[in-house]
Amino acid sequence: MSNGENFGPAVPDLTPSGTRLPRLWLLRHGETEWSREGNYTGLTDIPLTSEGEAQAEAARAKIGPVTFDRVLTSPLIRARRTAELVGYPDAEVVPHAHEWDYGDNEGRNSRQVRAENPGYLIWKDGVPNGETLAQVAERADLIISSVQAGCGTEMDRDPEATPVEKVLLVAHGHFLRILAARWLGLAPEMGRHFALSTAAVCTLGWDKHTPAVVGWNL
């Protein structure tokens, strides 16, 4: 799918200020030791592997020559380092863009959890002593509202703000999948349908005034 830079109608739909409706690029961080093993990695501040650094550097070409109005990153080192390697060492750190707090499942993988709880699925069963799915979605909504501020959209909570057109967010697998679902106006558990690889690039935008996926898992 397209990276989202050249999409949309010849005469685009506009915000009340006359700018294009905003597009949000998503970039998952590169590989870590735990992501390579399939372990739940929430708030543990684990660095990229050498392969993860190479993946992050390669993501620069996937994004292409886009001039962003804002570049946002999770506070965790794996995301901040990824942002640095794609060319944004001064990305704005957003405290609430961290990964799902997996509670007692931190550092474990789904096979281990299912050995104790057959049929376990994080999207319906949640995590013991961690964040609820609704809490993660609430954090994602804050970012969406910030990106869409001043745009007159359903998620716009600051109609007096000056709209932006292009934003990049560097963050984490589950968090970005939930954010994508919320951008589309879907329940957060629908994020289960958006597979997302390490260092993958996605673009969220619009079909007219309908929120849409423009590019996914590139």
Side-chain angles (χ1 to χ4, degrees):
M1 300 174 72
S2 164
N3 70 4
E5 178 62 6
N6 298 307
F7 78 95
V11 181
D13 286 294
L14 305 176
T15 71
S17 296
T19 61
R20 285 178 180 264
L21 286 170
R23 287 164 283 173
L24 176 59
W25 278 254
L26 308 177
L27 172 60
R28 186 184 173 191
H29 63 78
E31 178 195 83
T32 67
E33 289 186 8
W34 281 13
S35 70
R36 183 178 61 210
E37 300 300 321
N39 297 345
Y40 291 117
T41 316
L43 302 184
T44 303
D45 213 3
I46 188 169
L48 300 180
T49 62
S50 57
E51 173 61 22
E53 296 216 346
Q55 290 175 346
E57 290 173 344
R60 186 195 296 246
K62 297 179 186 178
I63 294 171
V66 183
T67 301
F68 292 107
D69 300 300
R70 299 176 68 190
V71 177
L72 315 176
T73 181
S74 156
L76 296 170
I77 188 63
R78 58 193 185 270
R80 290 190 288 114
R81 178 61 173 156
T82 298
E84 179 181 351
L85 290 168
V86 295
Y88 301 101
D90 299 319
E92 176 185 345
V93 176
V94 181
H96 51 271
H98 63 78
E99 180 59 296
W100 197 334
D101 178 353
Y102 296 117
D104 294 348
N105 287 346
E106 183 78 0
R108 311 178 75 207
N109 61 46
S110 57
R111 294 185 304 277
Q112 292 171 313
V113 176
R114 289 192 186 109
E116 302 168 359
N117 181 11
Y120 172 81
L121 185 65
I122 191 172
W123 299 99
K124 66 180 180 66
D125 297 318
V127 292
N129 298 312
E131 281 186 292
T132 66
L133 180 57
Q135 288 172 323
V136 183
E138 184 176 357
R139 292 193 286 108
D141 283 358
L142 289 175
I143 291 175
I144 295 170
S145 295
S146 175
V147 171
Q148 296 185 19
C151 295
T153 59
E154 187 173 339
M155 294 292 285
D156 177 6
R157 298 177 184 174
D158 186 6
E160 301 304 316
T162 300
V164 295
E165 293 190 33
K166 300 174 186 177
V167 180
L168 171 65
L169 170 64
V170 185
H172 310 272
H174 272 131
F175 183 71
L176 292 176
R177 294 167 70 182
I178 292 165
L179 187 148
R182 296 300 300 138
W183 180 278
L184 299 175
L186 303 175
E189 58 265 29
M190 297 304 288
R192 65 187 290 187
H193 298 292
F194 297 99
L196 189 58
S197 305
T198 50
V201 176
C202 311
T203 310
L204 302 176
W206 308 86
D207 177 13
K208 302 296 185 181
H209 276 269
T210 299
V213 173
V214 177
W216 191 261
N217 205 35
L218 302 178

